[in-house]
Amino acid sequence: MAESTSPIIDLHNVSVTFQSNGKSLHAVDQVNLQIQPGDIYGIIGYSGAGKSTLVRTINLLQQPTSGTVTVSGKDLQKLSNPQLRTARKKIGMIFQHFNLLNSRTVLNNVEYPLLSQSISKAKRQAKAKKLLELVGLGEFEKSYPEQLSGGQKQRVAIARALANDPDILVSDEATSALDPKTTNDILKLLKQLNETLGLTIVLITHEMQVIKSVCHHVAVMDQGKIIERGEVAEVFSDPKQPLTQNFVDSSANVTEALDQIKSDSSLQDLSANERLLFLKFRGRATKQSLISDLTELYKLKANILFGNIERIGSTSIGYLIIILSGETKQLADGINFLNQNGVRVRLIATGKKGVKQDVKTNIS
Amino acid sequence: MLKQIFPNVIHIWPQFVQSIWDTIYMTFWSSLIAGLLGLGVGIVLVITQSGGIAEDPYVYSLTDKIVNFLRSIPFIILLAVMFPITNFIVGTTVGTTASLVPLVVGIFPFYARQVQNALLEIDPQVIEAPRSMGSSIPEIIFRIYLREGLPDLIRASIVTVISLIGLTTMAGAIGSGGLGDIAISIGYARFENDVTVAAMLVILIMVFLVQIIGDWLAKKTVHL
């Protein structure tokens, strides 16, 4: 990850420790994170992983217990209060529950960040109107937030976050309260802002879909630590950590399918020459006709119970759950053949009088 | 007709009218002074509490204790206890102006708690947004807390003003003037029941008016 430009966000050894009932909770544990200008950086993890706490250190809404936070070359912890407030104006933030001001109209909400600047009301409102048009809500300026849908509220929040012309936009689960279609629209908007304004976006989510559709880089967080990171396609096409794998699998509905198949009692009565297998194709394996080859070369029959292809960047990951049947010797050879061609094979169940031992050696 | 139902009220009519004005005077000025004081103390409680925008456990704990202490003194005892202080501030202990001192001390801690509760109704995340935009503490107080909390603040103010009208009548016991004074010193002491009833009716009308105006204002500030 050696990049030539200097990072716009540089978290160095950041830890946040909360004390509760005499116990210390390491919400963020020694995290190092560098984000380049113009990047869309996703941080994914389940709730409680410390993502929110981590991104809140970027504008010091959360003071780190230790470590340094450098944004746009400035060490934020060394700034005075007024200097920190000025620095915060260049870091926009949007939230899961929008956090709009219900007592103000949509236009006044967008205007709010500009109130502390010494510009005329006319100029202020003109800018707010322009921002509302940018997010596609030009005609809603006189409405109140309560009259808008979730997606519209988030657009207002985005317009408000852009009012101070920030360099960075931090998105804290901004699409988690929205339906899938609205989520897509908001993500498209973020992508567009990244491309047109050169906005650096830091986005936290628990949804793999969100990361896949907009992020360039991703960090996977668990128990306060970043356990895996890199380019989105790289990390998700070849996950090193079980948690990362978990995100990929559940995104492709594999976890669900496996559970269903395992609990299906009719599949428990496999005959001796049947194997219930879970196959994962990656890289070149996705471009070959391996299943047909099994039939041709080893006289094996494949009954497909589930199949899906997950596209991540330019790579695809294929999932198949099949019942493979044929001669015992052929079965072992067939599984070996799959293994040699880069398919990861997992045996889920075997026929009652099955020769598990034979097969086992070939299974990774 | 009125002469038959309220003979004694008609008899002391100018005094009765004066006591209505006295009650309005006491309610107005003590509302204003205690309102500002209570608002200030309520805001201090909200911003200095743990997790507040100007967290300060010492200031919070001290303010909280003073409010609790003042709230626990029964008003009729407070009236008596405040005598020397009232004398020091106003120069006298009788009359409507002198009664403002115990009225303010009696009601502002109550209002401070109401303000605190009203402002705590605002979602802390809504406060986090302006913090992330670099708003200062005064900006957050005046542009967020007091605006977002306005409907609840108005409701709290109605409750407080209505309580205060009640307290002004109690101040009548120490010669403050007003409707409470007249109800006790004339209606009760001289067995002129119609004066007491008339005083009560006027107070009821005042309470209703405050409630109606307050509700209307609160409704106007909610944007749904």
Side-chain angles (χ1 to χ4, degrees), chain A residues 17-33:
Chain A
T17 309
F18 294 119
Q19 301 291 339
S20 72
N21 299 330
K23 274 189 225 159
S24 317
L25 175 77
H26 299 283
V28 175
D29 198 1
Q30 303 270 341
V31 167
N32 283 295
L33 182 64

Side-chain angles (χ1 to χ4, degrees), chain A residues 271-284:
Chain A
S271 58
N273 61 345
E274 287 180 324
R275 305 281 181 274
L276 181 55
L277 301 173
F278 172 50
L279 312 177
K280 194 186 256 179
F281 299 74
R282 180 184 299 137
R284 83 192 146 84

Side-chain angles (χ1 to χ4, degrees), chain B residues 8 21 27-28 45 48 56 67 84 105 108 113 115 119 137 153 174 195-196 204 207 224:
Chain B
N8 298 307
W21 283 117
T27 308
F28 178 78
L45 285 170
T48 59
D56 189 329
V67 167
V105 176
F108 95 83
R113 277 281 180 247
V115 168
L119 299 185
I137 289 170
L153 283 176
I174 57 156
V195 175
T196 316
L204 277 180
V207 170
L224 288 176

Side-chain angles (χ1 to χ4, degrees), chain A residues 1 32-33 41-44 217-222 225-248:
Chain A
M1 289 242 310
N32 283 295
L33 182 64
Y41 204 109
I43 300 173
I44 190 170
H217 288 93
V218 64
V220 183
M221 248 189 120
D222 187 32
K225 290 188 200 300
I226 292 180
I227 55 170
E228 196 161 359
R229 67 177 94 197
E231 278 180 33
V232 172
E234 245 169 60
V235 169
F236 287 131
S237 61
D238 187 18
K240 303 278 187 291
Q241 298 288 335
L243 180 70
T244 316
Q245 183 64 60
N246 200 336
F247 276 118
V248 178

